[in-house]
Amino acid sequence: MASTDARESTGVFGPSRAQIPGKTLRDDRWWLAPLATFTVFTAFIVYATWRAFEGANYYRAPYLSPFYSPCLGDCVKGSSDFGQPFGWWPLSAALIVLIFPLGFRMTCYYYRKAYYRAFWLSPPACAVAEPHTKYTGETRLPLILQNVHRYFWYAAVVVALILSYDTVLAFRDENDHWFHMGLGTLLMLVNVVLIWLYTLSCHSCRHTLGGRLRHFSKHPVRYKLWTWVSKLNAHHAKFAWYSLFSVALVDLYIYLLAAGHITDLRFF
Amino acid sequence: MAYRLKMRIWRGDKDGGALGDYDVEVSEGEVVLDAIHRVQATQAGDLAVRWNCKAGKCGSCSAEVNGKPRLMCMCRLSDFDEEETITVTPMRSFPVIRDLVTDVSFNYEKAKELPSFSPPPRDADNKRRMQQIDVERGQEFRKCIECFLCQNTCHVVRDHEENKKAFAGPRFFLRYAELDMHPLDTNDRRELAQDAAGLGMCNITKCCTEVCPEGIKITDNAIIPMKERVADKKFDPLVWLGNKIGVRNKDNEGRTEL
């Protein structure tokens, strides 16, 4: 962050530009969107950090919290469907796996827009001057690492598959009998659909499936896939928000169940 | 129905200027450029404004209306309350010449730096061929009218004059993407886009898309795909390894790196 004097001699206040007072003449509520983003993301970060470090109340048969799935550490009985290869891990099991969905969202092209605007004010809104005097974008460490987004997308596909498996298991009751459905099952089902929509609408997915081609005409199947993903991609921001809420809601529901604050609403 | 519109218009040049107050009669259905013309015709004959088609197709009358980058000819007065004061200023990213006219030559300099389309030799019948779906892909990019509102709103140069040397801007990333996706172009522009054109400086905050009067999805359909193409070339170890061991994307064959 630079001094006010430095800020006021460059950018829109530079010597060649029209001498117009104020960092913007916008009179609409341009600050509302970044403020809302900042508030919601901060609330999610606080909640997710607490839950990730808690290391408890993440499993209530048959429901496993998405923050802890797959549970690869020293997890409670019944929650590790893929074994416990990190059984020696002394901290919360969530910390082993959360890096993947977290990395996927942190490097996501939509989330980047949202947090660059809301947290770094670069810029806070269109045609509103940013407070920084220097700007190098994503050309240097650490932000050049945003280019690894596709690798987090590969991991996110695996995570989505595992969450789908968890959702299937949620159709069993606590005694492993099939044809059970509770409110937890419904919430997990909605969540996994939104997670898939978010994952498949990813820009890296769009590129990998067909966007990288120069000759659509030579790759009709990939072209078709690209057109489908392009339709989803237009709603990527929406899916990013919906799935953020749904994953937190599923975790909260399972926390309340596991901590004994509520009982599962059972449909059949 | 005619009414009196209150306007503030920036008047001045590179040595200084200020917002001047004007009160002008306007009619239902008119646009900001009509009001500016009436001010020019009735109250300020020396008001400088660049315009041409009045139909949103020439890209000449770019300015900022109430702080938002807009084409004045596509900015309807009916979108504002009749009591509201409308403020019109020149684009704030480019050097001002006079009043609402700015020097947009930065964009033409950047256009010169972009290597032009380079097709392969013609087929035996002296024709070049493309399939229709490949032609369609670039049509969105061809809608650009070069109003330079995207260049104006991009904070990389709007807020950082020093970046102009190293940053081509969204309008030209659109062109890079169009050519890189073009089946007949023989140039590989990925290194050039990242290094010389400064694609890595873009932090995809989408303001270019928000202000585009043609509704081109600049960020989603051009900049991000171009960033992904650059990642293929420069940042993906698996693609690098594939190239080393001969597993190549045949789609890129026949291209020469610039």
Side-chain angles (χ1 to χ4, degrees):
Chain A
M1 200 78 65
S3 71
T4 308
D5 286 349
R7 174 67 272 176
E8 289 181 355
S9 61
T10 184
V12 290
F13 303 111
S16 66
R17 316 280 182 95
Q19 290 177 18
I20 298 166
K23 62 182 181 180
T24 184
L25 292 181
R26 282 182 65 167
D27 54 3
D28 58 333
R29 290 188 292 173
W30 57 263
W31 43 267
L32 191 58
L35 180 64
T37 305
F38 179 84
T39 306
V40 175
F41 283 8
T42 302
F44 181 84
I45 292 165
V46 169
Y47 174 78
T49 305
W50 163 58
R51 286 292 289 142
F53 280 89
E54 190 186 17
N57 299 321
Y58 52 83
Y59 182 69
R60 163 72 164 72
Y63 309 132
L64 173 62
S65 162
F67 286 179
Y68 285 79
S69 181
C71 213
L72 303 175
D74 184 16
C75 302
V76 297
K77 187 167 175 280
S79 61
S80 295
D81 293 314
F82 300 91
Q84 298 187 346
F86 295 90
W88 49 268
W89 178 257
L91 302 174
S92 164
L95 302 176
I96 302 167
V97 292
L98 267 187
I99 182 68
F100 299 108
L102 179 70
F104 183 49
R105 288 187 188 248
M106 287 294 286
T107 59
C108 162
Y109 286 100
Y110 168 69
Y111 278 101
R112 275 146 76 179
K113 171 205 164 185
Y115 66 72
Y116 284 141
R117 283 195 187 193
F119 285 78
W120 194 239
L121 308 177
S122 181
C126 302
V128 178
E130 62 179 63
H132 315 283
T133 50
K134 293 275 183 200
Y135 174 85
T136 54
E138 297 178 341
T139 57
R140 300 179 185 180
L141 281 171
L143 293 183
I144 199 168
L145 294 176
Q146 305 279 29
N147 287 299
V148 303
H149 182 52
R150 58 186 59 185
Y151 284 91
F152 281 113
W153 176 69
Y154 302 148
V157 171
V158 176
V159 169
L161 286 169
I162 291 169
L163 293 182
S164 305
Y165 182 67
D166 289 342
T167 306
V168 171
L169 294 188
F171 283 91
R172 302 186 308 183
D173 65 13
E174 58 273 24
N175 300 314
D176 291 349
H177 295 135
W178 289 99
F179 303 112
H180 152 272
M181 188 173 184
L183 181 56
T185 318
L186 182 64
L187 290 175
M188 287 176 76
L189 189 62
V190 170
N191 178 54
V192 83
V193 168
L194 291 171
I195 293 278
W196 271 117
L197 286 171
Y198 172 61
T199 307
L200 293 177
S201 63
C202 164
H203 292 84
S204 285
C205 171
R206 187 183 183 214
H207 174 75
T208 304
L209 291 182
R212 63 187 305 202
L213 298 172
R214 302 177 72 218
H215 303 82
F216 280 158
S217 51
K218 291 183 183 172
H219 304 85
V221 175
R222 291 181 70 181
Y223 171 64
K224 200 72 197 164
L225 291 172
W226 178 83
T227 56
W228 288 337
V229 171
S230 294
K231 282 178 191 158
L232 286 180
N233 179 257
H235 305 285
H236 192 50
K238 203 162 39 186
F239 297 143
W241 278 94
Y242 292 169
S243 60
L244 191 74
F245 285 121
S246 70
V247 79
L249 185 63
V250 169
D251 176 76
L252 178 65
Y253 186 77
I254 293 170
Y255 163 78
L256 293 173
L257 281 179
H261 296 307
I262 58 171
T263 53
D264 189 27
L265 177 63
R266 192 162 174 166
F267 302 136
F268 54 83
Chain B
M1 183 78 77
Y3 64 97
R4 303 292 298 185
L5 173 71
K6 288 188 280 299
M7 299 188 84
R8 291 194 305 162
I9 304 171
W10 193 86
R11 304 295 309 275
D13 56 26
K14 62 182 172 54
D15 297 322
L19 291 166
D21 292 312
Y22 296 89
D23 189 304
V24 63
E25 185 170 301
V26 293
S27 300
E28 194 179 10
E30 288 192 320
V31 293
V32 169
L33 185 59
D34 293 320
I36 292 286
H37 279 160
R38 194 153 303 124
V39 169
Q40 196 184 43
T42 59
Q43 302 172 43
D46 60 344
L47 172 63
V49 55
R50 186 183 282 138
W51 66 282
N52 198 343
C53 75
K54 289 183 76 176
K57 287 296 164 200
C58 73
S60 300
C61 63
S62 301
E64 299 190 9
V65 180
N66 285 356
K68 289 186 181 175
R70 305 282 298 267
L71 289 180
M72 287 189 284
C73 70
M74 300 302 284
C75 190
R76 290 178 177 277
L77 294 177
S78 57
D79 291 343
F80 302 89
D81 193 276
E82 289 185 7
E83 301 303 313
E84 189 177 345
T85 300
I86 295 180
T87 305
V88 185
T89 61
M91 290 190 282
R92 293 182 76 176
S93 294
F94 306 121
V96 67
I97 296 175
R98 215 184 81 186
D99 301 340
L100 301 179
V101 179
T102 51
D103 176 1
V104 293
S105 56
F106 160 74
N107 303 292
Y108 300 114
E109 294 305 317
K110 292 297 165 187
K112 278 188 225 164
E113 293 170 10
L114 204 161
S116 58
F117 175 61
S118 175
R122 292 175 187 274
D123 294 342
D125 57 1
N126 206 32
K127 290 180 181 173
R128 294 193 178 94
R129 288 175 170 79
M130 274 175 75
Q131 295 296 311
Q132 183 60 27
I133 55 170
D134 294 325
V135 174
E136 285 166 4
R137 190 180 195 181
Q139 289 305 302
E140 180 188 15
F141 306 144
R142 306 294 293 178
K143 292 191 327 190
C144 176
I145 58 173
E146 298 211 309
C147 61
F148 302 128
L149 286 176
C150 58
Q151 303 282 91
N152 171 54
T153 201
C154 180
H155 72 111
V156 179
V157 287
R158 184 181 177 94
D159 295 333
H160 306 279
E161 181 74 23
E162 69 281 6
N163 285 341
K164 282 185 175 173
K165 281 184 197 155
F167 186 72
R171 191 274 166 266
F172 298 103
F173 296 145
L174 195 74
R175 182 72 177 146
Y176 271 102
E178 182 195 350
L179 291 173
D180 209 71
M181 293 170 187
H182 199 299
L184 293 183
D185 189 32
T186 56
N187 289 327
D188 181 346
R189 299 161 192 274
R190 293 175 293 180
E191 294 269 2
L192 198 67
Q194 180 73 358
D195 299 335
L199 184 67
M201 296 183 87
C202 169
N203 68 345
I204 50 169
T205 40
K206 281 200 168 180
C207 288
C208 49
T209 304
E210 280 188 27
V211 302
C212 179
E214 284 293 310
I216 304 170
K217 304 292 183 201
I218 304 172
T219 319
D220 285 322
N221 290 347
I223 297 180
I224 293 174
M226 203 60 214
K227 275 183 174 264
E228 286 289 317
R229 283 163 179 261
V230 168
D232 279 345
K233 180 91 180 179
K234 289 178 73 95
F235 302 114
D236 190 330
L238 274 183
V239 176
W240 175 84
L241 186 66
N243 281 333
K244 286 286 174 200
I245 62 174
V247 181
R248 282 165 206 248
N249 178 6
K250 293 186 175 54
D251 212 48
N252 284 329
E253 279 178 1
R255 295 208 298 176
T256 312
E257 191 176 303
L258 290 175

